Amino acid sequence: WILQPLAIYLLFTSWWPLPALYFAWFLLDWKTPEQGGRRSAWVRNWCAWTHIRDYFPISVSVSSPASLTTKDLSPEHNYLMGVHPHGLLTFGAFCNFCTEATGFSKIFPGITPHLATLSWFFKIPFIRDYLMAKGVCSVSQPAIEYLLSHDTGNLVGIVVGGVGEALQSVPNTTRLILQKRKGFVRMALQHGAHLVPTYTFGETEVYDQVLFHKDSFMYKFQSYFRQILGFYFCIFYGRGFRQGSTGLLPYPLPIVTVVGEPLPLPKIEKPSQEMVDKYHALYMKALTKLFDQHKTQYGCPETQKLLFL
């Protein structure tokens, strides 16, 4: 965000060839985000990510270590991973899959993670390069299909609930927008990719959010804001710099992403709706099982249930 106005300023100085060359290259490189991106091991290993990891702390765990090992995510296959819940800023998925702070490459050797996000981010100069360097990809269909059809060992994470789930992000709730989100299952079937359920415990606990009634002016404004920019204008708060104060810092509470057992899918070029419904139901069942298996371990009461919207 700082480099963009700086580059525009330099266009009107004697340094104008530098930003001019970048913007020329930006146009030539336009399709790269939808053709595998351009990740950087150096960016993914910045020490800044370890500080973010330790603040909460953030970690990634494999479900049922006795039965699920790294060999179950074989580099011989491609994977479509459901990321739940969205939360407000998706701290867990960012740290676990976009950086090496929690040791993803050691836990899942041979697997290349990609986290999908809003496509318009990749149309912004400099921001696109930063995102691609971390392994973030566009959530567009061409970008995901490219990763699932070129080589193997690719894992694409999709926050299935999307930005709509951000408004569900309040402490002590487990509401997921998933009931009618079936496009990711269809795509997995078309490419024979294995579905991997994940659940991030603590993601919705690190901020409090002000919720508005659906008939209120603020809720209508939030909906209008999403139509324009693609995400909701959420009013949230956490802790301040001083102990006991309120501010915009997240609460330092543990965030744990649990990776479930992969669900193998057949490769069907044109899957029927019945086939999509079948594997969507199996996915929801696997996600529910994953949540129920670990909920008490990570602070949820035994009576807590997943609610699919």
Side-chain angles (χ1 to χ4, degrees):
W1 298 111
I2 296 174
L3 289 176
Q4 292 174 56
L6 178 61
I8 295 174
Y9 167 76
L10 290 177
L11 283 172
F12 300 95
T13 69
S14 59
W15 293 89
W16 68 267
L18 291 179
L21 285 172
Y22 172 80
F23 287 121
W25 174 78
F26 172 78
L27 295 175
L28 293 173
D29 195 55
W30 184 260
K31 293 185 178 181
T32 299
E34 294 188 348
Q35 296 177 347
R38 186 172 46 251
R39 65 200 300 118
S40 167
W42 175 65
V43 173
R44 287 175 58 86
N45 282 280
W46 281 354
C47 63
W49 314 139
T50 62
H51 292 300
I52 294 176
R53 176 199 66 193
D54 296 338
Y55 175 85
F56 292 95
I58 297 173
S59 61
V60 60
S61 174
V62 179
S63 178
S64 303
S67 61
L68 177 64
T69 62
T70 54
K71 71 178 185 345
D72 289 304
L73 289 187
S74 170
E76 297 179 0
H77 302 288
N78 284 325
Y79 303 89
L80 201 55
M81 178 179 67
V83 178
H84 312 277
H86 183 286
L88 280 165
L89 297 178
T90 323
F91 286 113
F94 163 78
C95 196
N96 288 319
F97 308 125
C98 299
T99 80
E100 286 297 329
T102 56
F104 181 94
S105 62
K106 295 180 180 178
I107 299 174
F108 302 105
I111 302 298
T112 304
H114 303 266
L115 184 65
T117 190
L118 295 174
S119 301
W120 68 268
F121 281 137
F122 296 92
K123 296 177 174 60
I124 306 175
F126 301 110
I127 296 296
R128 67 191 292 275
D129 303 291
Y130 164 70
L131 292 175
M132 286 193 292
K134 295 190 301 180
V136 180
C137 70
S138 168
V139 77
S140 67
Q141 184 174 340
I144 297 175
E145 287 186 340
Y146 183 94
L147 292 169
L148 295 180
S149 59
H150 287 72
D151 299 323
T152 57
N154 287 313
L155 182 146
V156 182
I158 299 179
V159 187
V160 181
V163 293
E165 210 169 74
L167 287 184
Q168 308 295 329
S169 180
V170 292
N172 303 316
T173 59
T174 50
R175 295 191 293 266
L176 303 179
I177 299 178
L178 180 60
Q179 193 75 45
K180 297 181 180 180
R181 300 289 175 92
K182 301 180 181 181
F184 73 106
V185 177
R186 182 180 300 277
M187 190 174 296
L189 283 167
Q190 289 172 340
H191 296 277
H194 295 193
L195 285 176
V196 181
T198 70
Y199 193 90
T200 301
F201 292 90
E203 187 69 61
T204 60
E205 309 298 317
V206 297
Y207 277 118
D208 288 302
Q209 181 178 182
V210 180
L211 299 180
F212 300 96
H213 191 272
K214 291 187 177 182
D215 295 327
S216 67
F217 168 79
M218 278 303 300
Y219 185 86
K220 293 177 181 177
F221 171 76
Q222 287 177 318
S223 300
Y224 178 74
F225 189 91
R226 181 191 177 183
Q227 291 176 7
I228 300 300
L229 294 179
F231 59 93
Y232 282 107
F233 177 81
C234 297
I235 298 179
F236 59 91
Y237 60 92
R239 57 167 292 186
F241 288 99
R242 292 178 298 177
Q243 187 173 3
S245 63
T246 300
L248 293 179
L249 291 176
Y251 299 119
L253 300 173
I255 297 176
V256 183
T257 298
V258 182
V259 179
E261 186 173 358
L263 177 65
L265 268 65
K267 185 175 181 178
I268 306 174
E269 186 176 350
K270 295 182 179 180
S272 63
Q273 187 60 49
E274 290 76 13
M275 187 66 70
V276 173
D277 291 342
K278 170 186 175 181
Y279 282 99
H280 183 264
L282 289 175
Y283 177 83
M284 290 199 300
K285 182 179 179 180
L287 181 60
T288 301
K289 179 181 178 181
L290 177 72
F291 176 81
D292 289 340
Q293 184 177 353
H294 296 276
K295 60 185 179 184
T296 56
Q297 180 182 354
Y298 297 116
C300 294
E302 181 66 38
T303 55
Q304 189 83 35
K305 302 293 183 182
L306 280 184
L307 176 62
F308 297 123
L309 303 180

